[in-house]
Amino acid sequence: MSKKIVPSMVKDQQLIKKRREQMIKGAVRLFIEKGFHRTTTREIAKESGFSIGTLYEYIGAKEDVLYLVCDSIYDQVTERLRVQLETTGTAMKRLETAIRAYFSVVDDMQDEVLVMYQETKSLPKETLPYVLNKELEMVEMIETIIRECVANGELDRKEQEVKLLAQNILVQGQMWTFRGWVIQKQYSLEEYTELQVRQLLGW
C-alpha cells in the first residue's frame, strides 16, 4: 500500500513541509471544533495563516488535508513508540516503558489523536487502507515486543492473547483522549497509566 502523493504546485520541499505543518495544525483545531465535513478549505487557509489561493498551491482538495493530518499523526506516534521499543533492558521493561511512553504521547497529542479517531472514516476509499495500515504497523510493533516477553518467560500469553493485548494497549492509550471528558476528571495521567499498566500486564 503506497503513500499518497499529495499534489503541490510548489517545488521547494522545505517550503512544502513548512506550509503543510501549518495547515495540519490549523486543520486539527477546526476539525476538533466543527468536524471535517463542516470545515471549509477557506477556514483551513485562514486558520493556517494564508490565503485560499496559497492553500491550493499545496493540496488538490480538502480530503488531502485530512490525509496529511492522519499521516502526520501516525508518523509522530509511531516514531516515538519505536524509540522506546528499541531501548535496552529486559523485554518486559521495554514493553512497560513503551506503554508509558505511548500514553504520554497520546496525552501530548490529544487533539490530533481525537481527530484521527473521529475523522479517519472520512478519508476517501483510495487512501483509507494506507492510513489504517499505519495503525496496524503500530499494533505489530507492540505484538513483537510482547512475543519477546513470552519467549523469555516474562509473560504468559498464547498467540491470540498476544494479538488482543497489543490491540488493548493501543485502545487504552487512545481512551485517555476519547473518554477524557470523564477519565481525566477521575485520574491524573500518572494514575491512569499506572493502573492500566498493571491491568494490561496482569500485575
Side-chain angles (χ1 to χ4, degrees):
M1 237 163 287
S2 59
K3 187 181 181 81
K4 173 182 167 69
I5 304 300
V6 177
S8 173
M9 290 187 276
V10 178
K11 302 303 178 190
D12 185 332
Q13 292 302 311
Q14 286 190 322
L15 187 57
I16 292 172
K17 185 175 184 289
K18 179 183 175 182
R19 289 285 184 257
R20 286 181 175 173
E21 283 174 354
Q22 291 174 263
M23 206 181 297
I24 287 165
K25 287 179 183 175
V28 165
R29 288 192 289 268
L30 289 167
F31 294 166
I32 286 288
E33 180 186 339
K34 305 177 66 173
F36 170 73
H37 290 293
R38 292 177 58 209
T39 299
T40 67
T41 48
R42 191 169 296 279
E43 289 170 328
I44 294 171
K46 183 179 179 182
E47 191 72 16
S48 305
F50 36 77
S51 69
I52 185 73
T54 300
L55 181 83
Y56 277 111
E57 289 179 2
Y58 296 92
I59 61 164
K62 186 173 80 166
E63 288 74 16
D64 289 340
V65 181
L66 179 58
Y67 171 82
L68 290 171
V69 166
C70 292
D71 195 39
S72 172
I73 294 166
Y74 276 119
D75 280 350
Q76 290 181 63
V77 175
T78 300
E79 184 52 37
R80 289 174 68 172
L81 182 59
R82 181 179 287 111
V83 167
Q84 297 304 321
L85 289 172
E86 291 176 353
T87 55
T88 57
T90 66
M92 179 61 82
K93 189 62 182 174
R94 285 187 287 127
L95 176 59
E96 180 193 346
T97 303
I99 293 172
R100 294 182 187 280
Y102 170 60
F103 282 25
S104 178
V105 172
V106 170
D107 182 60
D108 289 345
M109 300 177 64
Q110 288 191 53
D111 287 348
E112 290 89 343
V113 171
L114 194 57
V115 165
M116 185 174 69
Y117 182 77
Q118 293 177 336
E119 300 294 350
T120 298
K121 63 184 181 299
S122 300
L123 285 165
K125 62 181 181 180
E126 64 271 15
T127 55
L128 182 58
Y130 169 79
V131 171
L132 293 180
N133 193 59
K134 297 193 87 162
E135 179 155 326
L136 291 179
E137 287 174 7
M138 288 170 55
V139 174
E140 287 168 5
M141 287 168 60
I142 298 169
E143 284 180 9
T144 299
I145 188 65
I146 296 171
R147 289 192 187 98
E148 193 176 332
C149 291
V150 173
N152 293 349
E154 300 172 83
L155 200 59
D156 183 18
R157 293 288 190 280
K158 296 181 175 65
E159 180 59 22
Q160 281 189 316
E161 293 172 316
V162 167
K163 291 179 176 295
L164 189 57
L165 177 55
Q167 294 283 356
N168 282 341
I169 290 169
L170 207 69
V171 172
Q172 297 305 325
Q174 292 172 352
M175 190 168 76
W176 175 250
T177 294
F178 63 75
R179 295 286 296 175
W181 60 274
V182 60
I183 290 174
Q184 293 182 25
K185 291 177 182 176
Q186 297 173 336
Y187 309 99
S188 67
L189 176 63
E190 292 73 22
E191 290 168 336
Y192 178 77
T193 302
E194 188 62 38
L195 288 168
Q196 288 290 2
V197 167
R198 289 182 190 176
Q199 289 190 9
L200 288 162
L201 301 182
W203 291 356

